[in-house]
Every structure is written in C-alpha cells, then in structure tokens.
Amino acid sequence: MILGCHVSFSNEQVLGSAKDAVTYGANAFMFYTGAPQNTLRKELNPEYIKEFHSYIKTHGIEIEHIVCHAPYIINLANKNDLSKWQFSIQFLKNEILRCEMMGITKIVLHPGSAVGISKSEGLQNIIDALNLVIREDQTCQILLETMAGKGNECGSNLEEIKIILEGVHEKKLMGVCLDTCHLHDAGYDLADFDAFLDLFDQEIGLDLIGCIHINDSKNELGAHKDRHENIGFGKLGFQILHDICYSEKLKKVPKILETPFIGVDAEDKKRVYPPYRFEIQMIRNQIFDPSLYDHIRDYFSKEP
Ligand code: FE
Ligand code: FE
Ligand code: ZN
C-alpha cells in the first residue's frame, strides 16, 4: 500500500521531508514548500534536491508518490481584487516551477472560494486562471482537491470539479485529489465506497485520481465543516477508512494522512506531536487501536 502523511519542509527542505516520512514508516508523503498560510518561500537548495533523489531511491519511495500542496491562500476563484487574483496565478506558476526543479510530479490545489460572487462565476475564474497558469511543456500535474463546502468553497461536489476539468485546455496536466474528510463533510456517504467510486468514474474517470487524503472527520455527514480527526476516532470510523486504503481500484494512488497532532497533556497546547507513525502502523495492521492516543503520549513523553 502506498501510504504516507503530511511532513514538514523546514529542515533540509524536500530532503528533510523525505527523512521525516521514512521515520514514520511512510512510502509516500506530502509537503508545503513553506508555511501553508503564506507565500514566503526560501530559495531551493540544489544540494538537498540531489541528495533527496538518492535518498528516496535507497528508501524505496517513488517520486510519483510524493506530492506538493499549494498554499491555501491561493484563491483562483475570486477576481474582485484583480491584483490578488493575478498574484495567485503568478504564485501558483512559481510553485509549479519549484516542484519541477525538485522533480515533483503532482501539486494539490484547493480550487478556490467564490466570496461575494456566484459559484458559476467562481468556477469560470478558476478555469481562466488555470489556463493562464499551465504551460504547454509543464511536467507537474495539478490535482484539484475535493472540498468540504465550507462557506463559498468551489469544488465541493463532483459536478463542480468536472466543470473545472472540462474548462482547462491542457487536460493531461489535470487530475483530482480526493479527501475523505471533505467528501464526508460535503455529503458523500463513503460507507459504500465502491458506489462512490462508480459515481466518480461515471462523472470524471477513476484514472484522474492522483492522490487521496485519508482523514477521519469530527463532524456528521454533510456538515460542511472541514475538521479532520485521527483515524478511527471520528464520524467516518476505522472500517470505512481502512476499506478505502485497501481499495483495489486505488491501489496505485498515494494515500496521505493529514490528521491532527496529539497533545501530550491537555494543559499544554504547544506540545503536540505527529500521530502518523502510529496511524500508519494501525492501518497496516488492519485493526483499530482504541489506545492509540496512549501509545502516542507514552512514546513522546519519553523524548527529551
Ligand atoms: Fe488540502
Ligand atoms: Fe486534504
Ligand atoms: Zn481539510
């Protein structure tokens, strides 16, 4: 199974991300090239990139199983402030170039939020923007993430994702990133995942799925909230997420956890630790572990 998680980019850039992934027992991972909420970016270090490629080779991670996530302040849907829209376009262009410098083949993008305009205008703005962003000789594919439908988010149903995909000229450079928490919050019942995949195949095509975010959800089906929960501790539950991970049809698709960090004690909100090595292990063991939080706290409380 191609299973990994979100990792940081702060030490040794993409080389450090790969090292983190390996310590979690991951054979896939996702990173932001800087803070997700801003667009300040450090220059890429070619030494790290070179070492990264040999590192993933020796650790059996394939380059196609590594994805970048565009910062979520990029908003291609809203053109009310033209300079902001143009900035988003320019930034995404640069981010794609940075991916290509690292050899990264996929970048996940939130389609955008149609604030103060209709959804259909928003979708058209996204299409126009993507057609300005994408270069003919581009090698990095853009994966539109399915959204929870919070506020005016575009892309919270398959129809909207389809409209965007149909409007983009360079179709081979487009794909989709499913997010289980978002789909559930958007109202898609994943209890019958095969039925969902059939629907997706009819509307869009299974071969366009380039990545899947595996998250439990804190909220009820259709809540439009977007609050991720640890695997098995939310409203989706372990079995559904397990079955998605082991789905034959998505065997070749990298699965990425974006679940919340765990606090060692309830008082200290700053001391939070990544749950990933434990969740990856649990999914691979195929049995829900109700004491997962205890194991995580035990493990990290022993760290200096
Ligand atoms: Fe996302
Ligand atoms: Fe996600
Ligand atoms: Zn989310």
Side-chain angles (χ1 to χ4, degrees):
M1 188 196 309
I2 307 156
L3 177 63
C5 58
H6 166 232
V7 289
S8 96
F9 191 76
S10 49
N11 301 315
E12 302 179 318
Q13 299 180 341
V14 72
L15 173 62
S17 307
K19 287 178 179 175
D20 277 0
V22 166
T23 67
Y24 298 149
N27 57 3
F29 65 87
M30 182 178 82
F31 64 92
Y32 290 84
T33 67
Q37 68 277 15
N38 70 41
T39 51
L40 302 169
R41 293 295 179 262
K42 275 200 201 124
E43 209 160 315
L44 293 174
N45 181 331
E47 287 303 313
Y48 290 150
I49 297 173
K50 225 173 110 192
E51 232 186 287
F52 154 73
H53 284 284
S54 64
Y55 185 86
I56 60 167
K57 210 169 182 182
T58 50
H59 288 85
I61 300 177
E62 286 178 38
I63 193 79
E64 289 78 20
H65 300 161
I66 302 170
V67 297
C68 177
H69 195 308
Y72 36 74
I73 56 152
I74 289 184
N75 186 3
L76 303 182
N78 208 301
K79 228 177 175 173
N80 295 357
D81 183 336
L82 195 63
S83 67
K84 269 192 188 163
W85 187 70
Q86 284 164 338
F87 176 82
S88 286
I89 291 172
Q90 196 48 51
F91 190 83
L92 182 56
K93 274 183 157 209
N94 287 338
E95 200 72 341
I96 288 166
L97 289 170
R98 290 160 67 83
C99 284
E100 290 173 343
M101 281 172 70
M102 292 183 278
I104 300 298
T105 59
K106 296 168 178 176
I107 183 165
V108 174
L109 174 73
H110 293 181
S113 193
V115 189
I117 52 171
S118 69
K119 268 277 181 87
S120 60
E121 277 177 89
L123 292 169
Q124 191 55 52
N125 290 340
I126 294 167
I127 292 166
D128 293 343
L130 286 170
N131 282 327
L132 290 169
V133 164
I134 299 175
R135 314 179 326 266
E136 232 174 277
D137 64 339
Q138 192 169 309
T139 54
C140 181
Q141 193 189 23
I142 298 172
L143 304 178
L144 299 173
E145 182 164 356
T146 59
M147 303 309 290
K150 221 177 13 172
N152 303 293
E153 266 173 0
C154 295
S156 61
N157 59 55
L158 300 188
E159 293 76 17
E160 291 176 7
I161 296 280
K162 186 180 178 175
I163 289 171
I164 302 171
L165 292 172
E166 281 178 346
V168 175
H169 303 317
E170 296 289 338
K171 301 215 185 318
K172 63 175 194 308
L173 289 168
M174 296 298 298
V176 179
C177 170
L178 302 177
D179 183 308
T180 57
C181 168
H182 298 176
L183 288 170
H184 167 89
D185 284 23
Y188 290 100
D189 186 358
L190 302 183
D192 191 351
F193 190 61
D194 278 324
F196 172 78
L197 284 185
D198 285 345
L199 177 73
F200 189 94
D201 200 26
Q202 267 168 35
E203 289 289 316
I204 291 169
L206 284 185
D207 51 325
L208 284 180
I209 303 175
C211 177
I212 172 160
H213 292 165
I214 304 289
N215 303 306
D216 214 326
S217 170
K218 285 194 198 294
N219 290 288
E220 300 295 341
L221 181 68
H224 300 295
K225 285 281 202 315
D226 189 5
R227 294 196 58 214
H228 301 188
E229 182 54 284
N230 294 104
I231 303 303
F233 291 88
K235 301 291 181 191
L236 273 162
F238 184 76
Q239 198 56 48
I240 291 176
L241 294 169
H242 164 278
D243 294 352
I244 294 172
C245 287
Y246 284 87
S247 164
E248 254 328 287
K249 287 177 186 156
L250 299 183
K251 213 172 170 179
K252 292 186 179 141
V253 178
K255 296 159 189 85
I256 305 291
L257 302 167
E258 304 174 294
T259 47
F261 280 31
I262 307 300
V264 158
D265 60 72
E267 307 299 305
D268 190 355
K269 294 264 188 291
K270 279 184 201 135
R271 289 176 65 212
V272 289
Y273 295 100
Y276 304 126
R277 83 180 72 217
F278 303 91
E279 289 180 322
I280 288 171
Q281 189 69 60
M282 181 170 71
I283 293 168
R284 292 206 185 271
N285 288 344
Q286 303 196 50
I287 311 168
F288 178 58
D289 179 1
S291 350
L292 189 85
Y293 289 146
D294 297 335
H295 298 319
I296 296 172
R297 292 191 173 115
D298 272 3
Y299 180 91
F300 287 110
S301 62
K302 284 181 194 110
E303 287 220 324

